[in-house]
Amino acid sequence: MKKIYSSVILIFLTLCIYAEDGHQLWLRNSSPKPVNVVCLKNSPTLTIAKQELQNGWMGEMGTSVNLVIKADKAIRGDGFRISKNTIQANTENGILYGVYELLRRQQTGEAIQEEICNPSYDRRILNHWDNLDGSIERGYAGQSIFWRKGSDSLTITETDKNLWQEYARANASVGINGSVLNNVNASQLMLTNEYLQRVKAIAEVLRPYGIKTYLSVRFSSPAQIGGLKTSDPLNPEVAQWWKDKAKEIYNLIPDFGGFLVKANSEGQPGPQDFGRTHADGANMLADAVKPFGGIVMWRAFVYSASDEDRAKQAYLEFMPFDGQFRDNVIIQVKNGPIDFQPREPFSPLFGAMKKTTVMPELQITQEYLGHSVHLAFLAPMWEEFLQSDTYQNGPGTTVARCTDGSIFPQKYSAIAGVANIGLDANWCGHHFGQSNWYAFGRLAWNSSMKSEQIADEWIKLTFGKTTDNKDDSAIDWNLSFLSPVKQMMLDSREAIVDFMMPLGLHHIFSANGHYGPGPWWAPKGMRKDWTPPYYHQADSLGIGFDRTSSGSNNLSQYKEPLRSEYSDPATCPEAYLLWFHHLPWDYKMKSGRTLWDELCYHYDGGVQQVRRFQQVWDQAERFVDRDRFVHVQRRLRDQSLNALEWKDACLLHFQQFSRKSIPYNLERPMYNLDYLIEKDTKRVGVYQH
Ligand code: BDP
């Protein structure tokens, strides 16, 4: 009997070890070869660098690798010089990044010749929207890895520390060097000593991996936890409270990065509550952290319940203060002027604020792109954004160059991504969600990287074989797995745009969870700019938001030649057509079709595309372990059904205005509109696994 038990346990343990839950992300070194690492200095970071080389070396057996810290003007910040057997850097972090780069190239088979790799942005930061009770705002991968509910919520366990270490390692491997540990809708409790003690413990685990810790702060903290009567930024006692708080934090965490602030936005407190400005608020906090080298990231995600076009509001509110912020304030601007939609033009603030440091904020978690259900590789969206030309200083003034310090003099450069990380074994809910964490890090390091290269690397590292393998099976793998899966990833975001919000449509999701369609959603008394009809403006004449000079004139905030190009529907890119124009249903598109027909083709095309993704994935079965295969297969089925709902809901809703038929060669609607409206009212906020 005993024997049977022990064999059962053995089988169970074996299964646990080999169960492929995706927890290892893109870090899967197998059978390393011996290597001799030479490094004259010692430190926790360098020890990690050495261990990583020893645990993952796939270069020539017995090579001696030199890790050299030596100042070199051609190497910037945490950059490094790499060759087959030497990594040189100015900093220890640079050595660590060089090690990860070398190992990545060995695993993916990329050439290694001597070259310098410098980071595009100095600060490459994840924003966690994690609440202190362990829940995550817009998180679709389980609870927080930093915070939890319950009586033991502040106890620090070995399990916590191990997880934080794995997290830190994954970040460092792609060059991420900062983490904001809590939600921008911040709790005042964050700054109480008991929570700061936990921050200190987290910071200690992240530090050797080169990651600085930052916190989101609630502007009303002085009154809420400091016993003051006000939180007015111009009140000396308030300013002193923040100075003391900064001192307390830096005593615990000497390399603390600074504060992130959401102020006077969506009900959060801010300086305007006291008749003060964004500059007053941000500068007061900046002065508090300045003596310690800290920064303040002040968000420009603001829009009031006025009649002004929401797409214009951040610009209107922030431009008057250009040049009035301290040099350690960075204005953090979402990529688009509205809110992380599947496609938006860049926010007009990029390049326009010439005397203020501006940083992009991207959303890695897929709040508006299908949560952790949809397969959406976001690098193409970020590439499109970073390479958008603002023309602010003539042609070639891309968003990337406006923000990375190459055009405007700025003390800091930074980029942030709202994390998609939670306690799920695979970290991101969807195995392919990991590719977005990876892509954010890679683009933050090198903003000119191409999506294709990022996808290529990620697939090889996550699902791949080692490069030694040049036999038939490797050729088969490249042709039958790598190529089609890469193409699927590259097409995935456009497919989502097509079945959700093609041709420049935006913000037509249902407010019930931000997952399904809701073009009809406009409850009585609701703020207009929270309802889809405000954005699509469908009526008997046509569809789209007029942002030209005959409408809201949002286009006046963009520089020539964009302004003129986008003002004319004939020259406006069709991808942004309904973002900037309200056009008749029978407007002639470039394809020769009417606008209505074109809309139908896009919606249908998106649905068909997801079905093709299912085919691609099903054919990939023999190359993927069972667990990950089935997991992705199931999610693609759900995505397919969801895509169909989007198509039917939007076309049937808009058809009430267009009064035109869906082209007869396209698949007919499968759902009744009533059914979809009813279903939406019952939708739960977060996808349940
Ligand atoms: C919106 C999210 C909301 C965030 C807000 C923000 O729905 O949960 O708090 O962005 O960025 O898109 O502050």
Side-chain angles (χ1 to χ4, degrees):
M1 197 60 181
K2 241 186 182 172
K3 237 183 171 173
I4 297 181
Y5 269 138
S6 49
S7 349
V8 169
I9 290 173
L10 198 71
I11 292 172
F12 177 73
L13 286 178
T14 319
L15 280 177
C16 287
I17 293 165
Y18 293 108
E20 177 49 275
D21 57 11
H23 195 69
Q24 293 182 73
L25 297 159
W26 49 84
L27 294 157
R28 295 161 182 269
N29 309 334
S30 57
S31 39
K33 297 187 189 149
V35 61
N36 176 30
V37 185
V38 184
C39 181
L40 298 179
K41 291 192 181 155
N42 225 336
S43 77
T45 303
L46 293 171
T47 303
I48 294 171
K50 285 182 226 168
Q51 277 167 358
E52 291 287 12
L53 280 175
Q54 270 145 5
N55 296 339
W57 184 256
M58 293 175 77
E60 231 170 87
M61 182 144 68
T63 311
S64 262
V65 180
N66 294 307
L67 304 182
V68 189
I69 302 191
K70 196 171 118 205
D72 183 330
K73 283 209 182 100
I75 303 175
R76 275 193 298 103
D78 287 337
F80 51 86
R81 185 196 303 274
I82 192 177
S83 70
K84 278 204 171 106
N85 60 1
T86 307
I87 293 162
Q88 184 197 338
N90 296 331
T91 64
E92 291 180 6
N93 293 346
I95 295 285
L96 187 61
Y97 297 138
V99 164
Y100 285 121
E101 179 71 24
L102 191 57
L103 294 176
R104 173 177 31 250
R105 290 190 188 202
Q106 289 178 350
Q107 283 181 56
T108 58
E110 205 184 310
I112 308 170
Q113 65 264 64
E114 188 175 316
E115 72 184 275
I116 290 179
C117 303
N118 285 325
S120 298
Y121 293 95
D122 298 334
R123 310 236 174 180
R124 306 170 295 276
I125 305 176
L126 285 182
N127 287 186
H128 288 265
W129 285 359
D130 296 17
N131 297 312
L132 300 186
D133 67 359
S135 61
I136 304 183
E137 180 146 346
R138 314 305 176 186
Y140 312 104
Q143 298 286 102
S144 169
I145 62 168
F146 299 121
W147 313 104
R148 62 170 165 265
K149 218 175 24 210
S151 51
D152 69 337
S153 63
L154 292 169
T155 316
I156 295 151
T157 65
E158 280 311 301
T159 315
D160 288 333
K161 286 203 212 163
N162 288 339
L163 194 66
W164 299 338
Q165 189 186 354
E166 290 173 334
Y167 161 84
R169 175 174 180 241
N171 279 333
S173 76
V174 290
I176 292 170
N177 67 357
S179 299
V180 182
L181 302 184
N182 62 318
N183 193 354
V184 285
N185 297 318
S187 161
Q188 64 276 15
L189 295 181
M190 186 70 260
L191 293 180
T192 56
N193 192 266
E194 44 175 355
Y195 280 99
L196 290 177
Q197 292 297 339
R198 192 171 173 87
V199 175
K200 172 178 157 56
I202 297 171
E204 276 161 12
V205 179
L206 305 193
R207 184 170 302 123
Y209 287 90
I211 299 168
K212 274 187 197 294
T213 301
Y214 300 76
L215 292 177
S216 295
V217 296
R218 188 167 171 83
F219 200 77
S220 52
S221 297
Q224 286 187 284
I225 55 164
L228 301 189
K229 288 208 178 65
T230 177
S231 297
D232 179 349
L234 298 193
N235 177 306
E237 280 180 59
V238 170
Q240 191 56 47
W241 186 88
W242 282 106
K243 284 188 174 143
D244 294 344
K245 190 47 85 178
K247 198 163 168 200
E248 179 189 342
I249 297 175
Y250 278 93
N251 269 334
L252 295 169
I253 308 151
D255 59 345
F256 181 69
F259 297 141
L260 171 64
V261 195
K262 173 175 178 180
N264 294 120
S265 160
E266 297 186 329
Q268 293 300 308
Q272 292 172 353
D273 303 350
F274 310 95
R276 314 298 183 194
T277 67
H278 286 293
D280 294 332
N283 290 342
M284 182 273 295
L285 290 178
D287 290 343
V289 291
K290 177 108 184 173
F292 312 98
I295 59 167
V296 170
M297 295 168 285
W298 190 270
R299 296 176 89 226
F301 178 63
V302 294
Y303 60 103
S304 61
S306 69
D307 281 340
E308 190 55 271
D309 174 5
R310 176 166 162 189
K312 288 174 72 179
Q313 292 195 30
Y315 183 100
L316 291 175
E317 229 178 289
F318 276 84
M319 275 307 282
F321 300 111
D322 189 21
Q324 293 184 30
F325 292 98
R326 300 279 192 268
D327 66 359
N328 59 334
V329 172
I330 310 184
I331 304 301
Q332 181 166 312
V333 182
K334 289 188 181 182
N335 58 297
I338 298 216
D339 195 359
F340 294 142
Q341 297 302 288
R343 172 167 278 127
E344 297 193 32
F346 66 88
S347 158
L349 277 171
F350 290 107
M353 290 193 95
K354 296 186 169 49
K355 290 176 275 174
T356 305
T357 306
V358 172
M359 66 188 279
E361 176 178 330
L362 309 172
Q363 195 180 40
I364 309 171
T365 189
Q366 292 166 225
E367 176 178 0
Y368 301 103
L369 287 101
H371 298 187
S372 54
V373 184
H374 293 185
L375 192 157
F377 178 53
L378 301 180
M381 174 160 87
W382 300 333
E383 189 185 334
E384 175 179 300
F385 159 68
L386 289 165
Q387 297 314 324
S388 293
D389 200 341
T390 69
Y391 291 96
Q392 284 287 351
N393 268 21
T397 319
T398 58
V399 169
R401 298 186 65 236
C402 288
T403 50
D404 67 8
S406 31
I407 296 190
F408 304 118
Q410 54 191 68
K411 192 163 168 192
Y412 300 96
S413 68
I415 186 165
V418 180
N420 61 348
I421 296 159
L423 275 178
D424 274 8
N426 72 14
W427 301 89
C428 303
H430 193 306
H431 288 290
F432 279 77
Q434 299 176 352
S435 66
N436 294 325
W437 179 4
Y438 183 87
F440 170 75
R442 299 294 283 142
L443 280 169
W445 180 275
N446 177 0
S447 62
S448 55
M449 262 188 98
K450 296 272 167 283
S451 305
E452 191 190 340
Q453 156 94 17
I454 300 174
D456 192 273
E457 287 177 6
W458 180 79
I459 298 171
K460 286 177 176 162
L461 297 170
T462 307
F463 292 107
K465 304 183 170 252
T466 66
T467 46
D468 288 8
N469 209 335
K470 299 238 174 346
D471 56 13
D472 287 353
S473 77
I475 296 171
D476 186 25
W477 188 85
N478 277 321
L479 278 177
S480 315
F481 183 76
L482 177 63
S483 279
V485 171
K486 189 174 13 175
Q487 198 55 51
M488 168 172 76
M489 287 174 74
L490 293 172
D491 292 340
S492 59
R493 179 271 188 143
E494 201 62 39
I496 289 177
V497 169
D498 277 339
F499 71 71
M500 282 187 179
M501 309 184 199
L503 298 174
L505 287 175
H506 51 285
H507 207 295
I508 60 172
F509 53 86
S510 153
N512 300 324
H514 297 186
Y515 178 69
W520 53 80
W521 194 85
K524 259 212 179 108
M526 179 60 63
R527 252 178 85 157
K528 272 200 292 192
D529 59 354
W530 281 350
T531 70
Y534 168 88
Y535 296 95
H536 63 64
Q537 306 264 327
D539 57 23
S540 60
L541 301 176
I543 183 168
F545 199 119
D546 184 359
R547 295 194 163 101
T548 67
S549 54
S550 57
S552 80
N553 207 10
N554 168 222
L555 272 170
S556 67
Q557 297 176 339
Y558 290 88
K559 190 94 179 176
E560 289 293 5
L562 279 189
R563 192 187 302 167
S564 304
E565 194 191 314
Y566 288 10
S567 289
D568 180 354
T571 49
C572 180
E574 288 193 343
Y576 300 133
L577 198 60
L578 303 179
W579 184 285
F580 289 113
H581 298 273
H582 188 268
L583 293 171
W585 293 109
D586 52 10
Y587 174 82
K588 253 284 177 38
M589 302 291 290
K590 295 203 175 87
S591 62
R593 296 185 188 120
T594 64
L595 171 58
W596 166 254
D597 281 1
E598 188 77 10
L599 211 54
C600 295
Y601 272 91
H602 275 273
Y603 274 107
D604 188 72
V607 172
Q608 305 306 333
Q609 183 72 302
V610 182
R611 291 179 184 164
R612 279 193 291 275
F613 295 162
Q614 290 185 272
Q615 290 169 338
V616 168
W617 190 249
D618 282 357
Q619 288 176 71
E621 181 166 8
R622 67 194 168 100
F623 299 101
V624 187
D625 50 279
R626 183 103 202 115
D627 296 344
R628 286 189 292 176
F629 175 76
V630 169
H631 178 106
V632 174
Q633 186 185 48
R634 287 193 178 146
R635 273 169 162 62
L636 278 169
R637 285 178 189 150
D638 285 347
Q639 180 174 356
S640 235
L641 290 170
N642 188 240
L644 193 58
E645 289 188 12
W646 267 93
K647 173 197 161 199
D648 286 357
C650 294
L651 290 184
L652 291 174
H653 177 75
F654 294 142
Q655 194 177 40
Q656 301 173 108
F657 303 97
S658 78
R659 307 205 156 273
K660 292 177 185 299
S661 42
I662 294 170
Y664 294 112
N665 55 332
L666 297 184
E667 186 176 290
R668 313 321 293 160
M670 298 287 169
Y671 295 107
N672 289 324
L673 187 55
D674 296 350
Y675 165 81
L676 291 171
I677 295 175
E678 172 70 16
K679 180 171 177 185
D680 176 53
T681 59
K682 299 195 187 116
R683 208 181 285 280
V684 281
V686 175
Y687 181 74
Q688 308 288 317
H689 322 210

